[in-house]
């Protein structure tokens, strides 16, 4: 398996622009997670889905952030409008229940810079 | 509050030494405790994990020690190597979270040659 795939790997945009991050989970995994990582705040869970349905979005910082999972093989995280404080590395992870546990597999991340 | 507290924030160890990272949790419903290793520019990767029905799990140079009564668990890296230099995260999950893991703040390990 190719693992979790994220695109783009790097994104530089200007404040006020719309940013869309993409994720393809591992085939067969039924959970998908979006995380944000910064030096100041560490690894933060933004939202997660189960079987394409959003379960917990309490970590989404504000209404400028939205996430969708239209099917089992694709998810997007959108920021509109973007702000400099959104600069971070965004990770997507997927998991499934195997042997009674959930092992999360992370993608390589998207480094977002908002100027 | 479902928190996982990790210490130390950073750790410097000489090559061949033992690296020890500690975590404490509050929610007794947690039943799965993984450790993740992250190299610069990469996503976290699962390193080793333990269930609360055992007190220790060893995989090569990496060992998790688990103390259920104290609600603490730790990662021991024996014979630490420069290639082990990375950020390590502990995490916890359980039935109540249905797959959602709560992560510690991370420990940056530097192994000096």
């Amino acid at each position: 398996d190719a693992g979790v795939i994220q695109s783009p790997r790097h994104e530089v945009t200007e404040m006020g622009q719309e940013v869309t991050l993409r994720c393809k989970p591992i085939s067969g995994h039924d959970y998908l997670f979006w995380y944000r990582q910064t030096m100041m705040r560490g690894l933060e869970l933004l939202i997660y889905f189960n079987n394409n349905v959003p379960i917990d979005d309490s970590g989404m910082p504000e209404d400028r952030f939205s996430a969708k999972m239209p099917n089992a093989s694709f998810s997007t995280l959108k920021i509109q409008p973007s702000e400099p404080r959104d600069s971070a590395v965004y990770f997507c992870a997927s998991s499934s229940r195997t042997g009674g546990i959930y092992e999360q597999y992370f993608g390589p991340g998207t480094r977002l810079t908002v100027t | 509050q479902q928190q996982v507290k990790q210490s130390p924030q950073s750790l410097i160890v000489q090559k061949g030494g033992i690296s020890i990272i500690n975590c404490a949790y509050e929610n007794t419903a947690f039943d799965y405790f993984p450790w993740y290793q992250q190299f610069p520019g990469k996503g976290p990767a699962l390193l080793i994990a333990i269930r609360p029905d055992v007190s220790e799990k060893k995989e090569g140079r990496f060992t998790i020690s688990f103390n259920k009564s104290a609600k603490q668990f730790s990662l021991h890296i024996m014979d630490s190597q420069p290639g082990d230099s990375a950020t390590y995260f502990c995490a916890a999950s359980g039935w109540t979270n249905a797959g959602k893991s709560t992560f510690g703040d991370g420990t940056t390990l530097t192994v000096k040659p």
Side-chain angles (χ1 to χ4, degrees), chain A residues 72-100:
Chain A
S73 60
F74 184 66
S75 177
T76 60
L77 177 67
K78 185 175 294 186
I79 308 172
Q80 167 63 20
S82 58
E83 297 182 2
R85 60 192 169 122
D86 301 330
S87 296
V89 181
Y90 291 80
F91 290 103
C92 174
S94 68
S95 74
S96 65
R97 182 173 171 82
T98 303

Side-chain angles (χ1 to χ4, degrees), chain B residues 41-83:
Chain B
K42 304 290 187 182
L46 181 65
L47 181 64
I48 186 173
I50 196 168
R51 298 291 299 272
D53 52 345
V54 296
S55 60
E56 184 176 282
K57 182 174 182 180
K58 184 176 181 179
E59 291 184 0
R61 296 184 294 108
F62 300 89
T63 299
I64 300 178
S65 296
F66 186 83
N67 186 329
K68 188 175 182 178
S69 61
K71 292 187 286 185
Q72 295 176 348
F73 57 110
S74 60
L75 176 69
H76 295 236
I77 306 175
M78 311 299 288
D79 186 26
S80 298
Q81 299 297 312

Side-chain angles (χ1 to χ4, degrees), chain A residues 9 31 33 35 37 41-43 45 48 56 58 91 95 97 99-109 111, chain B residues 31-32 34 36 38 41-46 49 51 87 89 93-101 103-105:
Chain A
R9 294 294 312 278
Y31 281 88
F33 305 81
Y35 292 89
Q37 186 175 43
R41 301 176 67 89
L43 194 62
L45 177 64
Y48 77 100
D56 184 349
S58 59
F91 290 103
S95 74
R97 182 173 171 82
I101 62 174
Y102 297 90
E103 293 188 12
Q104 288 195 26
Y105 293 84
F106 284 75
R111 180 173 296 276
Chain B
D31 63 358
Y32 175 61
Y36 290 84
Q38 184 180 26
K42 304 290 187 182
L46 181 65
R51 298 291 299 272
T87 299
F89 295 92
S93 64
W95 275 107
T96 57
N97 288 340
K100 170 184 173 181
S101 289
F103 283 81
D105 289 337

